Structures are given as structure tokens and as C-alpha cells.
Amino acid sequence: MEGESIYEADSGDGLGADIISTVEFNHTGELLATGDKGGRVVIFQREPESKNEPYNQGEYNVYSTFQSHEPEFDYLKSLEIEEKINKIKWLPQQNAAHSLLSTNDKTIKLWKITERDKRPEGYNLKDEEGKLKDLSTVTSLQVPVLKPMDLMVEVTPRRIFANGHTYHVNSISVNSDCETYMSADDLRINLWHLAITDRSFNIVDIKPANMEDLTEVITASEFHPHHCNLFVYSSSKGSLRLCDMRASALCDKHSKLYEEPEDPSNRSFFSEIISSVSDVKFSHSGRYMLTRDYLTVKVWDLNMETKPVETYQVHDYLRSKLCSLYENDCIFDKFECAWNGSDSVIMTGAYNNFFRMFDRNTKRDVTLEASRESSKPRAILKPRRVCVGGKRRKDDISVDSLDFTKKILHTAWHPTENIIAIAATNNLYIFQDKVNSEMH
Amino acid sequence: MEFKLEAHRIVSISLGKIYSARGQRGGLKLHKNLLVSLVLRSARQVYLSEPGCPPEPPPAASGRGGPRLPGADCEGPRPRRCCCGCSCCCAAAGGEANRADCAAAAEAAAPPPPHCPRKRSAGERGQAGSPVKKPRREVEEEPPPGEQEDMETGNVASLISIFGSSFSGLLSKEPKGRRRAPLDGGEATVATTPTDAAAEPGQICCDEPVLRTLNPWSTAIVAF
């Protein structure tokens, strides 16, 4: 993998508003959207490859920036609603405009992104600045013509889906029917129509009648990429539930429950926390699901509910440090995971700005670091290693010197090519594998 | 023994997290607090169920003056005890101390849950003659879980606890100075779900005296 580009967001307010909170490629990979803690969305566009500047081909540059969400105050509950963007999901492109959904804890918004690169000139009644002309000066009529102008990207909010959620929204997912989408909070999942903002259907509700009986919450959810009736949601207990919307209006009863029995030898005070699933992603094929819990990523076959088909250790050396990680809250970090376009490689982030990739075919894995030193343009990323005692090679990092404040929670993989976007605090790294199209 | 120490530490840390969760921007995070409460419950179960001598209190436990009777509760499984004010509660080692305990428990007129006796084990630290319980209550850094189980019997019926009944068992008698006004004027109610009937996320409606004990927990519950 080569270092490609780094984008650092720093508005200088020092409040951490630039911390990137979500990263998402659109369906073609031409656009890459990031959301941050300050409620802003930045969209990058890939430069078309040109023969004139072969080395600049495929670079991502800022395309548009807009403020998606603002902080709000819920007066009834005396609670502030954070403007942090939790998730962004692109809609499949249906015309010249691009659309995306962005959500904070409570409100989902549909944004339309359009380009304007021409402007009409030669009005009869208005002058260049738009002021009305003195009619006596108009001696002949002309037809206004469209003249090229500097590209302007306009972003407008088309829909605002508010008041659908009592608890904090953790995920949104657009249905393959391109008409509906779902939003999930800790206890409920709602189904919306993209054109209707004043109504949504509740399709999952796991709130117990007595909140004292609460034992698990919904942590992530996603629609199946091809079957518009299927979706999955993960829970804090480490289970996945596949639901079929044809079965009933309220999908409280799952069609399939994916759960792996706990390994009793690994039992600790923190077993429950580390089994909580922080992210779930269907493979592009729709055959598998990828889940991330605190220490592992697992691949599940939709046809097998009893256990995952593959389990990969992300940073097992942390298993003996769970108590410290609990103390400093790191154990609650929610890492995301991603498939590559061909579903042969999976990727997830870790600490110390490390991220990991696992090749499902060769069973090889690699640890890479997103740092400025390693990310000069066209610099090759060097694999890193964490040593846990025993022989220590040069350049190894010991577990105790890992920086737990540098965490890579959000990663995204281009839908078809070997381009990855890594969010490291307020920096966005984009890496591209130009040489091979496979893992090496 | 090590487990007990670690469990105790985890209990303290967890309580601290819940306490500090109240000030969070964006409101309480249900997921995180649920996980913290699960850890709290596991740690407390270990802490209370582990047989053998209790650890020497860490220096912070200023309230626990007096030497411990080392053999006092190095017993095996404890005999079942009734927690609601019967004098039989105090039959264990450290009679006087336990009497104070029972008096506290007697405040709440609820039948003892079956698991209560076991959990009292931590509270019976066998300090003959010294009024251990009172100072111990003041020590909020390490709320003695066993003692709080005494409160649980009474309070559980009138407390609203999101994270499970064991949660309410950890409520300690906070020093009076830390009392907070009831959130909505302090209507007495039971631990059903008036929260749902009220506003969702609901606000707790509690007895004034119960609220006193609720102090560190009200924040955990408030947002919902």
C-alpha cells in the first residue's frame, strides 16, 4: 500500500470538533464523505485520471464542505443533543445529483449535492449583477446563453427526518430498493421512506416493559445488499439477528440468531463488554456478515447460526489489559470494519494509529500505521508489529508503549479498487495500492 | 483474595464512571452505562461470593477503623439470614455492628430477597464493639456492597433502576450533605415503569428518603 494523501482538518478551535466520526465512499468510489464531531461533512472527489499528469491520477480532493447538523437543546429533558455526525450513507445515484443521508444522535437529514458549472448570461432585463436595467437602454433583444463558470457545488437539505428516536441513533442503512432506509437507536429500529419525513414505521423494538429488565441494546444494523426484505442488527451481547420484513410488521422475532457460545476459559469481568458488537457489515456478495467486537473481527455465513466461519484476532495482546482499558474507557471504543470490493480482505482499525488487514484466502494479516512519516505520497507503508514479550525485533512496538489516544475507529474501502480511507482523529489518510490489485 | 481486591476496585471504578456520566454532553449513553452496570454486577457478585478473609481495607477506607477479627468471617457458606430487622441477623460475628446494619435494613419494610443473606457477608466485618457501620457508610469511595444489600431489600421496591435490580442493591447511604432534591418534587412511587408513563426518557420519581440514598445513581437514571 502506498501513502497517497493526508487531509488534516483543523479549524483551530481546539475543541476537537474536527475529529472525524464517520467515513464513507459512495457506490462508485468517486466520492468520499467524512463527518466530524462538529457536525460538518466534507466530501472528497477523485480526480479523473489524465494522461497529462499520470502521478496525480486518482487523487482525492475536497469537493464540498457543509454544516450538516448543529447542536440542539432538548428543553423537555434538559439535554444537549450533540451535532456529531454518527453515520453517513450515500444513496445510489439516480440522476446528475448525488444524495447522502447524514445523522447525529437524533435527526437524519437527506442532502442533495449538485454541480453548477454554467451560468446564463445575457439577460434582457437584468445586468451582470442582476440589477434591473433601465428599459430605455434596451434596444435589442438577445437570447441568454449558458456560459461556463467555475464549478460550484451546491448542497441543499432535501429532507429532515426528525423526532423518530428517543435514544441515540447509531446506524442508518439504505435499502436496496432505493426508496426506504432504516435508522437504529439503542432500543428501536425505524423504517423510513426517503420522501416522507413525518412518518416512520417501527420495525424492531427491544425496549423491555420494565427498564430494570434491560440487558442488551442494539449496536449496529444494516440492510442486506440485495434482498430488500432482509436486515441484520447486532447487540451488545454479541449476537446478530437477521430479520425478514415479510414475516411481520414488527420484526421482534428474528428469522435467524447468530451467536457464538462464550469461551469459558476467557471469562472475566469484562467478557460482556468485549463481546459487544460494535459494527456489522454485509459482504458485497450478501453471503457473509462481518462483525467487530473489541478484540476480534468475525466472518459469519448467513447459513450458519451457531458460530462464525472465521475469527481474526485484532489485538489479542490487550486481553490481559482489560482492566486498565476499562479504567481509561478505551474498552468502550467502537471500532468499525470493512470488506474490500471482492470480499477477500477485511480491514479494521486498532490503537496507536494502527489498522489491520486480513486476507481471507491466504490467511495472512498485516498491521499498518497511519502516520505522517509513513504517508508521504508514494511512500510504501511498512508493516508494523506489536511485540508482547519474547524476542523483540527492531521497529517493534511493545504493548506498553502503544498510544491509546490514537485510535482508528473509522475506515472505509473503495467499492471496487484497492483504495482505503482511514480516519485517525482529525486526519484522513487515503492509501492506494497502485501496483497490485491484490494483497501482497 | 486477589479477585476480591480486583472486584472491589472495579466496583469503585464503575461507580465513578456512572457518577461522571451525568455531566456528559449529549445525554447519558445507554449502551455504555448498561455495560458498566453489567461489570458492576459481575464484580460485586465476585466480591460478595468469594469465601475467605476479606481484604484489608485500602487506606482510603478511613471509616473502617478497628482491627478486624480475622477469623470472624472466614467461614464457608453463610447460613441464611433474614435481613429485615430480625435479631437473628445479628447472630453472626460482630453483633453490634450487625445490629446497626439490621436497623438500617429495618427502615425499609420489605421482605428479604432470597439472595440477601449471602450478600450480607461483606457487610459483616466482624468488628466487635465498634460502630463500624456508621463510618463505613460515609465512605463513598468504596461503598460496601454487602451493607447496601440491606438497603436493597427495602429500597428495591421503591427505587427505579434501569440497569437491573442488583444495581439498586449498590445504593449506599450517602452522607446527608449530598442529598439532592427530588427531580420532580419527589412523588413516592414504585419500581414499575412510571418512567415510561412520564416522559420518555423518563425522570425518576422517588421518595425523599429514598432519594437520599439514590444520590449517585439518580444521575445514571435521569436521562431515561
Side-chain angles (χ1 to χ4, degrees):
Chain A
M1 279 266 162
E2 293 183 355
E4 177 77 14
S5 338
I6 311 169
Y7 302 95
E8 181 174 19
D10 187 359
S11 59
D13 59 4
L15 295 173
D18 304 304
I19 295 174
I20 299 171
S21 49
T22 187
V23 185
E24 189 81 6
F25 280 100
N26 76 336
H27 294 268
T28 60
E30 183 209 351
L31 298 176
L32 173 66
T34 63
D36 69 18
K37 212 166 159 219
R40 274 181 308 259
V41 172
V42 180
I43 302 178
F44 298 85
Q45 185 188 42
R46 193 177 184 196
E47 295 304 320
E49 305 186 1
S50 77
K51 293 185 185 122
N52 296 334
E53 294 175 42
Y55 290 119
N56 275 348
Q57 61 191 351
E59 235 185 48
Y60 283 84
N61 294 316
V62 177
Y63 177 67
S64 172
T65 302
F66 62 96
Q67 186 75 30
S68 169
H69 286 71
E70 299 272 6
E72 287 172 58
F73 197 79
D74 183 334
Y75 294 97
L76 187 64
K77 299 163 203 161
S78 289
L79 288 176
E80 194 176 2
I81 300 171
E82 279 191 279
E83 68 276 30
K84 173 169 75 94
I85 308 293
N86 292 334
K87 280 287 179 321
I88 290 175
K89 285 280 146 76
W90 290 92
L91 268 55
Q93 192 178 7
Q94 286 170 334
N95 49 40
H98 295 277
S99 300
L100 61 79
L101 288 169
S102 65
T103 186
N104 68 348
D105 281 339
K106 296 285 183 186
T107 304
I108 305 120
K109 296 189 184 180
L110 175 66
W111 295 90
K112 188 162 157 189
I113 301 134
T114 48
E115 285 184 4
R116 190 191 292 268
D117 62 355
K118 298 183 192 46
R119 130 181 110 200
E121 278 180 26
Y123 282 105
N124 291 294
L125 299 177
K126 289 190 289 187
D127 66 15
E128 293 300 311
E129 280 116 51
K131 288 196 301 201
L132 284 175
K133 282 184 190 171
D134 183 357
L135 283 180
S136 57
T137 64
V138 179
T139 51
S140 62
L141 287 178
Q142 55 184 347
V143 177
V145 290
L146 290 173
K147 293 255 171 79
M149 59 178 259
D150 288 339
L151 180 65
M152 205 164 75
V153 179
E154 296 173 337
V155 183
T156 47
R158 296 307 299 256
R159 306 267 190 270
I160 299 188
F161 304 91
N163 303 316
H165 290 279
T166 304
Y167 302 96
H168 294 136
V169 175
N170 52 56
S171 46
I172 49 176
S173 178
V174 183
N175 199 334
S176 51
D177 66 8
C178 302
E179 285 187 0
T180 57
Y181 76 95
M182 69 168 168
S183 55
D185 65 31
D186 293 315
L187 297 178
R188 299 193 176 101
I189 302 182
N190 293 337
L191 182 71
W192 303 81
H193 191 284
L194 284 164
I196 299 172
T197 58
D198 61 354
R199 255 175 302 163
S200 78
F201 289 101
N202 175 245
I203 52 177
V204 173
D205 188 340
I206 64 168
K207 181 167 191 267
N210 186 349
M211 279 295 265
E212 286 191 39
D213 301 330
L214 182 72
T215 54
E216 70 183 319
V217 297
I218 298 168
T219 51
S221 63
E222 198 182 44
F223 268 121
H224 192 280
H226 312 309
H227 301 301
C228 55
N229 55 300
L230 291 180
F231 65 92
V232 69
Y233 70 90
S234 60
S235 85
S236 54
K237 276 190 173 169
S239 61
L240 297 174
R241 284 174 175 81
L242 186 73
C243 300
D244 188 335
M245 292 197 290
R246 297 172 303 187
S248 68
L250 191 61
C251 299
D252 277 357
K253 285 206 177 73
H254 50 263
S255 296
K256 282 186 188 284
L257 171 65
Y258 302 84
E259 214 169 23
E260 184 177 26
E262 193 193 341
D263 180 359
S265 64
N266 276 337
R267 183 114 187 89
S268 76
F269 289 121
F270 310 104
S271 301
E272 275 150 333
I273 300 190
I274 63 171
S275 65
S276 175
V277 173
S278 52
D279 193 17
V280 63
K281 294 264 169 48
F282 276 104
S283 62
H284 292 91
S285 62
R287 168 82 191 268
Y288 299 99
M289 296 179 293
L290 181 65
T291 59
R292 174 70 153 98
D293 53 61
Y294 191 63
L295 296 178
T296 68
V297 279
K298 295 178 179 168
V299 176
W300 300 79
D301 185 325
L302 250 65
N303 300 318
M304 187 159 82
E305 298 167 81
T306 50
K307 59 183 170 83
V309 288
E310 295 155 34
T311 301
Y312 300 96
Q313 301 295 332
V314 179
H315 38 205
D316 202 56
Y317 45 78
L318 297 183
R319 198 178 285 273
S320 55
K321 309 214 176 287
L322 294 179
C323 193
S324 317
L325 294 165
Y326 177 70
E327 222 173 330
N328 65 15
D329 271 0
C330 283
I331 207 173
F332 301 106
D333 287 334
K334 296 189 186 175
F335 292 94
E336 291 171 11
C337 52
W339 297 90
N340 74 337
S342 59
D343 299 334
S344 60
V345 182
I346 54 188
M347 167 172 73
T348 189
Y351 293 107
N352 209 74
N353 277 357
F354 288 167
F355 58 99
R356 304 262 281 138
M357 288 191 193
F358 303 90
D359 187 319
R360 298 177 61 215
N361 300 324
T362 65
K363 299 302 179 202
R364 287 169 61 188
D365 63 85
V366 70
T367 304
L368 300 169
E369 183 178 1
S371 74
R372 290 197 167 266
E373 296 75 44
S374 64
S375 306
K376 300 194 170 60
R378 291 180 295 285
I380 308 274
L381 282 181
K382 190 180 61 174
R384 307 305 309 267
R385 221 174 78 108
V386 177
C387 74
V388 288
K391 283 195 189 150
R392 192 177 162 198
R393 296 187 215 154
K394 176 179 174 273
D395 288 344
D396 278 5
I397 312 264
S398 79
V399 182
D400 299 310
S401 45
L402 289 174
D403 187 340
F404 288 94
T405 61
K406 293 190 186 163
K407 47 193 93 177
I408 292 183
L409 303 173
H410 312 288
T411 60
W413 206 309
H414 189 285
T416 50
E417 297 186 37
N418 272 357
I419 304 173
I420 57 176
I422 309 282
T425 321
N426 60 340
N427 292 325
L428 179 71
Y429 293 80
I430 299 181
F431 298 112
Q432 189 161 333
D433 194 9
K434 287 204 167 104
V435 180
N436 306 330
S437 54
E438 293 167 57
M439 281 276 300
H440 52 272
Chain B
M1 177 84 71
E2 277 175 27
F3 293 127
K4 240 184 157 86
L5 268 174
E6 201 201 352
H8 196 274
R9 181 164 163 250
I10 290 171
V11 165
S12 310
I13 294 170
S14 305
L15 294 176
K17 284 191 191 301
I18 292 173
Y19 220 159
S20 59
R22 66 154 110 176
Q24 262 178 3
R25 201 175 161 240
L28 210 70
K29 309 275 184 256
L30 182 58
H31 183 200
K32 180 178 173 186
N33 281 270
L34 178 66
L35 294 176
V36 169
S37 74
L38 293 174
V39 169
L40 197 50
R41 196 189 316 185
S42 307
R44 198 196 51 161
Q45 276 170 357
V46 166
Y47 183 73
L48 297 173
S49 65
E50 178 130 323
C53 304
E56 276 305 315
S62 51
R64 294 192 209 180
R68 290 169 173 258
L69 301 179
D73 40 9
C74 283
E75 304 159 8
R78 298 186 168 281
R80 209 189 142 85
R81 288 192 184 83
C82 169
C83 294
C84 65
C86 322
S87 55
C88 63
C89 291
C90 314
E96 202 174 299
N98 289 324
R99 224 163 279 132
D101 234 354
C102 293
E107 269 181 36
H115 60 273
C116 170
R118 289 198 72 210
K119 291 172 181 163
R120 288 211 58 203
S121 62
E124 302 165 38
R125 291 287 170 250
Q127 316 258 346
S130 59
V132 168
K133 293 308 168 189
K134 271 212 164 80
R136 276 184 76 207
R137 284 183 204 122
E138 309 292 309
V139 178
E140 75 240 4
E141 304 94 79
E142 18 178 337
E147 183 197 19
Q148 287 146 22
E149 286 308 304
D150 306 322
M151 299 313 298
E152 177 193 70
T153 64
N155 295 340
V156 69
S158 54
L159 285 173
I160 297 206
S161 166
I162 290 181
F163 303 117
S165 56
S166 57
F167 209 56
S168 57
L170 282 150
L171 293 170
S172 65
K173 276 192 125 180
E174 290 299 307
K176 296 202 171 152
R178 306 194 47 145
R179 184 183 331 171
R180 281 178 67 190
L183 291 170
D184 62 344
E187 295 302 308
T189 181
V190 286
T192 52
T193 54
T195 47
D196 293 335
E200 203 181 77
Q203 315 191 353
I204 52 172
C205 322
C206 278
D207 260 336
E208 165 68 15
V210 163
L211 255 187
R212 236 174 279 147
T213 62
L214 254 188
N215 193 334
W217 307 98
S218 57
T219 58
I221 303 163
V222 148
F224 300 99

